[in-house]
Amino acid sequence: MKKISVIIPTHNRLDILKKTLDAYNRQTLKKDCFQVIIVDDGSTDGTFDFLKTVQKTLQYKIKFFYQKNSGPNAAREKGIEESDYPLVLITGDDMIPTETLLEEHIKYHEKYSDINYSVLGFIDWHPAIKLDSFKKYITEVSGDQFGFNFIDNLQLVPYQFFYTSNISLKKIFIEKLPYIFDKDFIYPAYDDIELGLRLTEIGLKIVYNKSAIVYHYHNITIESFSQRAYNSGKMCWIFSNKQPSDTTTKHMLIQSINNYKLHTNKHYSKSIYNCAKEINKIRSDIFKPIQIDNKNIQKKIQYYQHTIFKNFIANRFALGLFEAINQESKYKRNINLAVFPESESNSSIHSYSSMRRIFFPCSLLNILNNVNIFFPNEINKTFDTKHKIVIATKSKRRR
């Protein structure tokens, strides 16, 4: 049977880490077939002192290391380097494993034995976490947290599902890269997708095993997710410049910049934030005491919740994106913007009104230096002219 190393970065989450390590005691996989590697990323809550003493209470092998606070990616990379076994499972300190987690990962690796195959497991809320409508929305509707609902019954999934909360790989395949995690991603967003994309370019296949389950022991709130969405916007700008061909990211940039004036309106931003907090209090069961049985009302309330949450997250994401664009960085000089009218019939240079909402925010964002402006008749016919703005590739510039 194959052996597996579990890689866990941690930072100031000692109480949850204790639960996670204890859960690995109950694995159905033989204890000599796995090891757990903890990299303490500069914790100040006594984590490293605890790790020095915890070995006596664990039934499996453990290795632990301390580093100055450098972020989870540096910690993951250190853990992978120090791993002893041919398989590595990348997970988190707040991801509590079910008893068969490691057995399920190994079972799939034995089934898909080629070195380029990885295994994605399922992530669910821990039973101790009280669910509200917002938590359900980000996991079950929008996929902003984890998009398992979009997998359906597909066994092979694309790189966008490279979740470093529950994914295992052959170590020899990861070592093909000149580096594993890109340190330019200073927040935990788009970093795992970026790695997944680079691995896909050299042949990575991701197989989904919904029976390899971890429980997410993390109480996400609207307040904490607001900061996460803001940081995601910043990291999206880095990702879009490193991987300009990624169409999903490109569409997000289009949507955010086209609505620049709305997203940066302080009144709108504050209002939608407050509205999201209030609407989160509405649940279907509050209607039972007053005996409202009309299903249409329930659907309208649910639709209202989803609309508010969607726009709230989009707003925070956009604000982070705009700030990243405005920051001086090595990526700024790589910006090459292309602006298009809505259709071929409206492709005249005089169609300013249809493009005003592009020129206006771009000028405020200070990204009009060295910008190329194109029109549909100058672009190859495969381009979708419905898009108002894209990161441009080579093309003739209109004078």
Side-chain angles (χ1 to χ4, degrees):
M1 177 175 283
K2 293 182 181 294
K3 294 186 176 183
I4 190 167
S5 299
V6 181
I7 312 301
I8 302 178
T10 188
H11 177 72
N12 287 342
R13 283 182 179 166
L14 179 56
D15 289 342
I16 300 175
L17 180 63
K18 289 178 179 178
K19 300 177 188 296
T20 301
L21 294 180
D22 182 61
Y24 280 101
N25 273 330
R26 296 184 288 277
Q27 288 297 298
T28 54
L29 184 67
K30 292 180 180 179
K31 302 302 185 290
D32 61 351
C33 288
F34 73 93
Q35 65 178 179
V36 175
I37 299 176
I38 311 293
V39 181
D40 181 1
D41 185 41
S43 296
T44 58
D45 62 351
T47 292
F48 199 68
D49 289 336
F50 164 75
L51 291 172
K52 291 176 182 177
T53 61
V54 73
Q55 296 178 80
K56 300 175 183 178
T57 66
L58 301 178
Q59 302 168 20
Y60 52 85
K61 299 174 185 176
I62 184 174
K63 295 171 71 175
F64 53 91
F65 305 90
Y66 180 88
Q67 67 178 28
K68 281 186 168 183
N69 183 234
S70 306
N73 284 336
R76 290 186 185 105
E77 195 148 337
K78 171 68 173 176
I80 293 170
E81 290 171 357
E82 297 291 344
S83 62
D84 300 315
Y85 297 151
L87 300 178
V88 291
L89 168 64
I90 306 174
T91 184
D93 54 5
D94 58 354
M95 297 291 167
I96 297 182
T98 54
E99 293 180 0
T100 58
L101 172 71
L102 299 183
E103 188 179 332
E104 288 292 337
H105 272 281
I106 286 182
K107 181 171 71 175
Y108 264 55
H109 277 289
E110 291 177 337
K111 182 178 180 181
Y112 301 95
S113 57
D114 291 349
I115 66 167
N116 60 322
Y117 274 84
S118 63
V119 180
L120 170 71
F122 180 63
I123 304 164
D124 202 358
W125 293 106
H126 192 277
I129 299 296
K130 184 179 180 180
L131 296 185
D132 55 26
S133 58
F134 184 72
K135 290 188 184 73
K136 291 181 179 180
Y137 174 78
I138 61 177
T139 54
E140 298 176 14
V141 180
S142 70
D144 285 292
Q145 180 67 24
F146 297 113
F148 291 104
N149 278 12
F150 298 106
I151 292 178
D152 295 324
N153 292 318
L154 294 176
Q155 198 163 46
L156 279 176
V157 297
Y159 65 86
Q160 289 90 345
F161 291 92
F162 193 92
Y163 297 149
T164 51
S165 297
N166 187 7
I167 194 164
S168 59
L169 308 95
K170 280 83 171 178
K171 183 177 178 180
I172 190 173
F173 185 71
I174 312 178
E175 291 174 333
K176 287 176 174 289
L177 294 174
Y179 60 93
I180 301 177
F181 290 95
D182 190 326
K183 306 302 190 297
D184 287 340
F185 292 90
I186 59 174
Y187 300 113
Y190 287 91
D191 50 338
D192 45 4
I193 295 176
E194 194 274 339
L195 172 58
L197 178 52
R198 280 189 288 117
L199 286 169
T200 298
E201 289 171 344
I202 61 170
L204 176 73
K205 303 290 184 184
I206 305 174
V207 182
Y208 176 47
N209 180 3
K210 61 183 179 181
S211 298
I213 304 169
V214 295
Y215 291 120
H216 193 193
Y217 200 103
H218 193 129
N219 186 31
I220 294 174
T221 64
I222 287 182
E223 289 79 6
S224 65
F225 205 82
S226 171
Q227 187 63 45
R228 181 184 186 274
Y230 174 79
N231 291 337
S232 293
K234 287 187 169 185
M235 297 301 99
C236 177
W237 182 246
I238 293 178
F239 178 76
S240 67
N241 282 278
K242 288 176 177 289
Q243 302 289 349
S245 63
D246 183 82
T247 55
T248 303
T249 305
K250 188 181 293 183
H251 291 165
M252 294 172 72
L253 291 170
I254 292 168
Q255 193 173 39
S256 294
I257 295 180
N258 278 355
N259 293 291
Y260 172 80
K261 195 171 182 180
L262 176 66
H263 283 310
T264 53
N265 182 292
K266 291 183 180 180
H267 175 72
Y268 169 78
S269 186
K270 183 178 179 181
S271 294
I272 198 167
Y273 179 68
N274 290 333
C275 190
K277 288 195 292 186
E278 289 302 313
I279 200 69
N280 189 43
K281 299 175 183 177
I282 297 178
R283 302 183 310 277
S284 59
D285 59 357
I286 69 171
F287 295 100
K288 293 179 181 178
I290 53 177
Q291 297 180 345
I292 296 179
D293 298 322
N294 189 329
K295 292 183 179 179
N296 288 331
I297 292 179
Q298 296 291 342
K299 288 180 179 178
K300 287 179 180 178
I301 289 293
Q302 187 180 52
Y303 175 77
Y304 182 48
Q305 285 181 319
H306 292 175
T307 302
I308 291 296
F309 293 154
K310 178 180 178 181
N311 283 280
F312 159 68
I313 294 170
N315 174 249
R316 289 303 184 275
F317 177 92
L319 290 177
L321 170 67
F322 298 144
E323 181 169 315
I325 290 174
N326 272 309
Q327 287 176 341
E328 291 294 333
S329 72
K330 62 183 178 181
Y331 305 109
K332 190 166 183 179
R333 61 176 178 268
N334 294 331
I335 297 169
N336 190 6
L337 198 65
V339 180
F340 301 89
E342 292 180 359
S343 66
E344 286 280 356
S345 61
N346 195 24
S347 61
S348 166
I349 189 67
H350 301 295
S351 60
Y352 178 76
S353 59
S354 67
M355 299 192 293
R356 181 171 54 187
R357 60 179 176 162
I358 299 301
F359 286 120
F360 176 69
C362 288
S363 62
L364 291 181
L365 289 169
N366 302 318
I367 61 173
L368 281 177
N369 292 331
N370 302 316
V371 170
N372 291 339
I373 298 175
F374 303 100
F375 290 85
N377 58 4
E378 299 174 326
I379 304 297
N380 67 69
K381 292 184 179 180
T382 61
F383 182 77
D384 183 355
T385 57
K386 291 185 294 184
H387 297 156
K388 292 266 199 311
I389 177 175
V390 297
I391 305 301
T393 55
K394 291 181 180 179
S395 182
K396 180 182 177 182
R397 181 174 181 177
R398 185 176 181 105
R399 299 283 180 188

